[in-house]
Amino acid sequence: MGTVVGYALRKLCVYLSAVAMILFAIAQMTLLKFLSIVSPGLTKKIHLKMGEKFTMTQNPKFKYEDWGPTFFSMAFIKTVASVNWCSLGLEAFEGHAAPDTALFTLDGQKTSIHRFLKGNRPLDFSDVADFLVVYLAEAHATDAWAFANNVDISVHKNLEERLAAAQTLVKEDPLCPVVVDEMTNITASKYGALPERLYVIQSGKVIYQGGIGPWGYSPEEVRKVLEKIK
């Protein structure tokens, strides 16, 4: 009974968090838009400070002008709404079963999360963990909430386009298997993974659920979890 109640409360938190995030994004956009008219210099300082939290200011590929103004756009609000709508399907909570959602390998073969729970261990902690990268819907598609000087990837219209886009990630040599989510975004939904999120699964259960990226994306936390297992 306690497990059921706990799960229900977590689901309630997911819904409340989604509403709060959307309202916060609208309020943030409105305030920054107003400040940009009254005091452009102050707006940029505030924005750069915010950018430190999700490492945008540390990325040499982007200048403030590439990403800052996009936070004043309706595309930003639409993306926040879409991401939070998708997260309402979240089922992957710590201590609960990890959803065995459907995925596709890069050659188009259907597979699932649990099929990667053993084997293929080329990274640190290879004696205790397997690693898997799931490519999801593009976070900054050129025809949606786009950053300037970013990769040229449009919103995926079909699986073939998603598989092709995933090759951009493969070129970065992630050293572990890369698979893609279904076009229904089932994995992104059940893991609340948009735009990015880290998980540790053991014996079919979630033992670590990272925060929603980019703010809550912390490989250091994953390392600590794996060190305890090791």
Side-chain angles (χ1 to χ4, degrees):
M1 182 66 178
T3 302
V4 174
V5 173
Y7 182 86
L9 288 174
R10 290 187 181 188
K11 286 293 293 186
L12 177 60
C13 286
V14 169
Y15 284 98
L16 294 177
S17 176
V19 173
M21 284 298 295
I22 294 171
L23 293 177
F24 175 77
I26 293 173
Q28 174 185 279
M29 184 193 74
T30 303
L31 177 60
L32 289 176
K33 188 70 175 178
F34 173 75
L35 282 176
S36 69
I37 298 172
V38 177
S39 179
L42 176 60
T43 303
K44 184 175 181 178
K45 287 182 180 179
I46 294 174
H47 229 169
L48 287 171
K49 191 66 177 177
M50 292 169 58
E52 292 176 3
K53 294 182 179 181
F54 53 96
T55 69
M56 282 304 302
T57 56
Q58 301 172 28
N59 192 328
K61 295 182 180 179
F62 298 114
K63 305 186 297 293
Y64 170 76
E65 290 73 21
D66 294 332
W67 59 271
T70 69
F71 283 82
F72 307 146
S73 67
M74 283 306 299
F76 165 63
I77 298 300
K78 288 179 180 178
T79 298
V80 171
S82 176
V83 164
N84 281 277
W85 175 261
C86 183
S87 75
L88 296 181
L90 176 61
E91 296 179 4
F93 299 113
E94 283 188 18
H96 292 267
D100 189 23
T101 53
L103 303 166
F104 283 92
T105 62
L106 294 184
D107 59 0
Q109 298 299 308
K110 197 164 187 177
T111 183
S112 68
I113 289 283
H114 286 197
R115 294 185 185 182
F116 291 88
L117 293 183
K118 57 184 178 180
N120 298 315
R121 299 180 171 183
L123 304 179
D124 288 344
F125 303 102
S126 61
D127 54 336
V128 296
D130 305 301
F131 294 83
L132 180 68
V133 174
V134 181
Y135 179 69
L136 309 172
E138 183 61 33
H140 296 288
T142 52
D143 50 351
W145 180 29
F147 289 172
N149 296 317
N150 201 3
V151 292
D152 185 9
I153 298 176
S154 300
V155 173
H156 312 138
K157 298 181 178 63
N158 50 56
L159 181 61
E160 289 69 27
E161 289 187 2
R162 181 163 290 182
L163 289 169
Q167 293 298 330
T168 302
L169 173 59
V170 174
K171 291 177 182 177
E172 299 297 322
D173 195 19
L175 301 178
C176 66
V178 175
V179 292
V180 304
D181 197 1
E182 282 192 331
M183 291 306 296
T184 58
N185 298 318
I186 186 66
T187 299
S189 179
K190 291 198 174 186
Y191 282 84
L194 286 175
E196 57 187 353
R197 200 166 201 166
L198 294 169
Y199 279 89
V200 178
I201 300 171
Q202 185 179 47
S203 301
K205 284 190 175 182
V206 176
I207 64 170
Y208 169 81
Q209 178 192 50
I212 298 174
W215 297 276
Y217 190 85
S218 177
E220 293 76 16
E221 290 184 1
V222 173
R223 174 177 287 273
K224 291 178 181 178
V225 171
L226 296 182
E227 284 175 343
K228 290 180 180 179
I229 297 174
K230 194 172 183 178

